[in-house]
Amino acid sequence: MVGFLAVALAATMAAAREPVDFNREIRPILSDRCFHCHGPDASARSAGLRLDIREHALDVITPGNSDTSELVSRIFSKDPDEVMPPPDSHRTLTNQEKELLKQWIEEGAGYDQHWSFKPLAATPPPATGNSKWPRNNIDWFILAKLKGEDFAPTPEASKERLLRRLAFDLTGLPPTPEELASFVADESPEAYANRVDDYLSRPEFGERMATPWLDLARYSDTYGFQQDWDRFVWPWRDWVIDAINRNLPYDDFISWQIAGDMLPDATREQILATTFSRLHPQKVEGGSDPEEFRVEYVADRVHTFGTAFLGLTLECSRCHDHRYDPISQTEYYQLFSYFQNIDEAGLYSYFTKSVPTPTLAIPDEKEESRLRDLRAAAAAAEDGYRKQWSKLQAKAERIARTRVRALLADPRPLADFTFDLHEEKEEKKGLAWTFSSVAGEAKAKAEQRGVRIVSARSGNALQLDGDTAVEFDFGDFGRYEPFSISLWMWTPDLKERAVIFHRSRAWTDAASRGYQLLLEDGKLSASLIHFWPGNAIRIRATEPLPVKEWQHVTITYDGSSRADGLRLFVNGQTAATKVIRDNLSREIRGGGADNITIGQRFRDRGFTNGRVDDFIVFDRELSELEIRELHSPGSTSDLAETEIENSLLEEFSRLRASPEMRKAAE
């Protein structure tokens, strides 16, 4: 009789219970106890059984019949060799969870998409009978749940307590005594709604609502690692607060933060919103590998995106198919590719206060007006330059031919050159440093420090060891100043990366701020840099430099801050180049070094066993005609009457021979 009553009671309870919800009740059990061995990750799957996909789970489930379902017999088994989960997994099911799985199978073992993949659908308020308690649609859902649990709503709180709750919920601050007294005295039906409207209209509302979002977005005013310097991302924080206070539509609030910069004709505000994806911690400590941490930043963006917008943990899929959520490793790296498509460095700058790229200038109205005026003035000046050249072009050849010989005989580089090995200095005034005067004791000391003085094409040359710097006391050019540098160089092999010369403090530790000439995969590469890689211009030769041969190399720059103003010449001829970066908008000075250094840079790869000779620096842009003369003195004495040579004469006239053009260029 007792057994009969127990069965009858269980049947009555089951009949009274609502149908099982797969996502809310069954998926958490399967994910926590079963998917580790029978889930999406093929590498960890046991017995070839998957329980995350219904078609596969039917191997052990008979929908509508728990008695013939092997899953039920296994979870209720007392045999340690049969029971699931197995004892050595240290995962156990409670009796209530077992009964829930059994009921789910009896109801047909229905599966459903992960809740985060399902679009929201309008749900009508549940019918709970006539009641005066609900005041809005949300109250009907609350009342239905309370009735289902056989609870009654609590009595309404006092007005003092209601206002206190409201103030803390909407502003994070308590009501003032004056607000409290006013609310208690207000007997109108709209008293509470009016207070809600008042708090919603205050700036504190946006600050209160922004707090959990800032936490989710991992916002901080510092970089977050050992040095933990200040970083300037507070404009994004203010944007979030403002977006909430002006009730920016939620779809805009989300899409702008994910991809505001990719919207058609993106506004500054939409681009600013994408700071959401740049709030990860950033490194600068010595010994940190830039690429390692760049990858970590991308992974951080992926994981934050999954948490904030998908309701999923994506971290597991970085190493294997997810064992609990429906995310494969392939899908993880497909998403990963979206979040690494920016010009970002793995380290921020130790030697400068530059903001790591990509960056956004945020001028106020006065500054924006000034910028418009300056852009208009620059455009007018460029137009004037072109018009001036149109006037002079007809007589350019005559001007050039008249003056070419005298001007080519006086290239006028910077006057003073210094060969500096940190202790000993040898100075020479003249057109070029040929290193011929480094001899005797100075030569011996130089070689002790890793710089050999070797025989060159004619006279002496430097041979570098890749670790020892050869410094000059000049070359502090800014991005608006034209300059040219020529040298003879000899590389012993096709180098993956080597610093020929630079004017900068360091590589990653200063984001290469300054200018430089490198070998990259054996090809010459010239750059002017504010913060690599996002704020710089760089060109690279399309062909490798020949090895074990002396080559005359010249870099020229016109002061335009554009990649098309940067040129490379090899043996007097224009080198074919490819533009690598063309976005220089900030100063290249201020990186911690204001002089040219040959052969080595802090935490970079030097020009190991490379040789340098006849190093010449000019404080102007050289024409190709002058560069030919530098490469082979006297070679331009008989200029051919060809279109090519005439164009060289025109360029020479524009850059050097015409005072009018020089003034227009300035």
Side-chain angles (χ1 to χ4, degrees), residues 488-539:
W488 283 90
M489 60 177 288
W490 182 95
T491 180
D493 46 36
L494 193 151
K495 294 187 180 297
E496 180 184 13
R497 179 183 176 90
V499 176
I500 310 306
F501 68 81
H502 69 96
R503 201 277 292 142
S504 55
R505 174 63 179 85
W507 183 16
T508 53
D509 296 78
S512 299
R513 187 164 176 174
Y515 61 83
Q516 62 190 28
L517 178 69
L518 310 180
L519 280 173
E520 295 179 313
D521 294 324
K523 300 172 183 177
L524 290 168
S525 168
S527 313
L528 276 74
I529 300 167
H530 173 72
F531 197 109
W532 182 260
N535 197 321
I537 56 175
R538 174 176 288 186
I539 60 172

Side-chain angles (χ1 to χ4, degrees), residues 628-646:
R628 288 189 180 188
E629 186 71 14
L630 282 172
H631 166 251
S632 182
S635 62
T636 60
S637 57
D638 297 320
L639 295 171
E641 296 292 337
T642 66
E643 182 179 349
I644 295 177
E645 298 297 352
N646 287 341

